[in-house]
Amino acid sequence: MFNFWTFIFEVVNFVAVVYILYRVLFRPVKNILQQREREIKTVRDEIEKNRKEVAQLRDEYEKGLKELEKVKTGYIEDARVEALKERERIIKEAMEEIETERKKTVRFIRQEKLRALEEIKERAVSLSVEMAGRLMSDISDDLLQERLLKMLLERLENLPPEELRRLSEVVKDGSCRAELYSARPLNIDQKEEIRSSLQEILNCRIDLVDHQDTSLIAGIRLKIDGHVFDGTLRGNLDAIAEKLKKQS
């Protein structure tokens, strides 16, 4: 049977229990939950902050990587350009060295060619002169010797004034020494003719010293204190040879 007072009592007990629970248990739990919620929020905020910092660091890292890649690419490009320049320089220097060596080689070949031609020319001239000398030696006689002597004396008698003046300077104390070279022995008349001509030309006493030299082939060679007057076939052949060697 329903009892009103019992019902009231139970309601009062329930309210009292709820109040006690609220005061003893619910508020601390609520506070704990609120504290936990605040802690969770703090952790979430910290996580979010860290996430943003990580994202920022990641962006900076990626930016740094891009900058590094640009720098690396720039260095690689600079290195490539420098390598190309160095290669071009090396190739240029090598080509210049090759060209220099080529010019040296060409110059050396030309010089050797000219030297060889000059040697051949000198050899040919020497052989020609030698053969001409042998031929003239075979046909040389006293008549040719006399003719060459006359030609030398005529040359002495017709010396230019300047050459005659220089020759006269060798005269000392009214005399001078003259060395006479001939391919054939000269007789007394020929020697006297030479002495007389020199004395008349130089106006002095002549000390004549006679030498025989068969290599002269024919003719007379006079030496007066360093002045040489060559009227020999050998001298003429040597002069011809020198002219031939100088011709290009």
Side-chain angles (χ1 to χ4, degrees):
M1 165 178 263
F2 178 75
N3 189 331
F4 177 76
W5 293 109
T6 301
F7 174 75
I8 293 300
F9 179 75
E10 289 180 355
V11 169
V12 170
N13 286 336
F14 176 76
V15 171
V17 170
V18 170
Y19 177 77
I20 292 170
L21 289 176
Y22 174 79
R23 296 289 297 179
V24 176
L25 183 62
F26 182 74
R27 286 188 62 183
V29 169
K30 180 179 179 182
N31 292 335
I32 291 172
L33 291 175
Q34 289 178 347
Q35 179 66 27
R36 183 61 178 170
E37 184 178 353
R38 286 194 298 269
E39 291 177 356
I40 292 172
K41 184 176 183 302
T42 301
V43 170
R44 286 180 178 177
D45 293 341
E46 187 69 23
I47 291 174
E48 182 65 20
K49 179 181 179 182
N50 291 336
R51 187 187 66 78
K52 291 181 179 180
E53 290 179 355
V54 169
Q56 183 179 358
L57 290 175
R58 184 186 61 192
D59 293 341
E60 292 178 356
Y61 174 74
E62 291 177 354
K63 183 178 179 182
L65 287 178
K66 292 180 180 179
E67 293 294 329
L68 181 61
E69 185 66 23
K70 289 181 180 180
V71 173
K72 183 179 72 173
T73 303
Y75 281 149
I76 293 174
E77 182 65 21
D78 292 341
R80 188 181 69 83
V81 172
E82 289 298 324
L84 290 175
K85 289 181 179 179
E86 183 66 14
R87 186 185 68 175
E88 291 177 358
R89 184 187 66 79
I90 293 173
I91 293 174
K92 181 179 179 182
E93 290 181 354
M95 294 301 294
E96 290 176 352
E97 291 179 1
I98 292 172
E99 181 64 17
T100 300
E101 290 300 321
R102 186 190 69 80
K103 290 180 179 179
K104 287 182 180 179
T105 303
V106 172
R107 184 164 57 250
F108 174 76
I109 293 174
R110 288 177 179 173
Q111 291 174 350
E112 288 299 307
K113 181 179 178 181
L114 291 175
R115 186 180 63 80
L117 291 175
E118 189 65 24
E119 289 179 356
I120 294 173
K121 181 179 177 181
E122 290 182 1
R123 183 60 177 168
V125 170
S126 298
L127 290 174
S128 300
V129 170
E130 184 66 25
M131 292 178 63
R134 291 179 182 179
L135 178 62
M136 290 182 179
S137 180
D138 292 337
I139 64 175
S140 176
D141 56 12
D142 292 337
L143 183 60
L144 178 60
Q145 177 80 357
E146 183 67 24
R147 177 58 182 161
L148 291 172
L149 173 59
K150 294 295 183 183
M151 291 174 62
L152 179 61
L153 293 177
E154 289 177 2
R155 178 186 170 190
L156 292 173
E157 292 172 358
N158 294 283
L159 286 175
E162 182 63 25
E163 188 174 354
L164 181 59
R165 183 189 64 78
R166 289 196 300 269
L167 184 60
S168 299
E169 293 176 354
V170 305
V171 177
K172 296 178 181 179
D173 300 327
S175 66
C176 66
R177 177 186 175 88
E179 296 188 61
L180 178 64
Y181 297 84
S182 61
R184 292 172 174 270
L186 297 176
N187 57 43
I188 296 177
D189 292 337
Q190 290 173 325
K191 293 178 182 180
E192 187 60 32
E193 184 180 8
I194 295 171
R195 180 184 287 106
S196 298
S197 296
L198 291 175
Q199 288 180 162
E200 183 179 352
I201 294 170
L202 298 177
N203 193 23
C204 68
R205 182 175 58 83
I206 299 297
D207 181 13
L208 190 63
V209 181
D210 184 23
H211 304 280
Q212 185 176 350
D213 185 356
T214 57
S215 67
L216 300 177
I217 304 175
I220 305 296
R221 180 180 291 166
L222 269 174
K223 289 185 178 180
I224 305 174
D225 194 26
H227 297 271
V228 179
F229 301 93
D230 198 330
T232 65
L233 285 180
R234 172 57 62 188
N236 289 331
L237 289 174
D238 290 342
I240 293 172
E242 286 299 320
K243 289 181 180 180
L244 290 175
K245 289 177 181 179
K246 291 180 180 179
Q247 290 178 354
S248 57

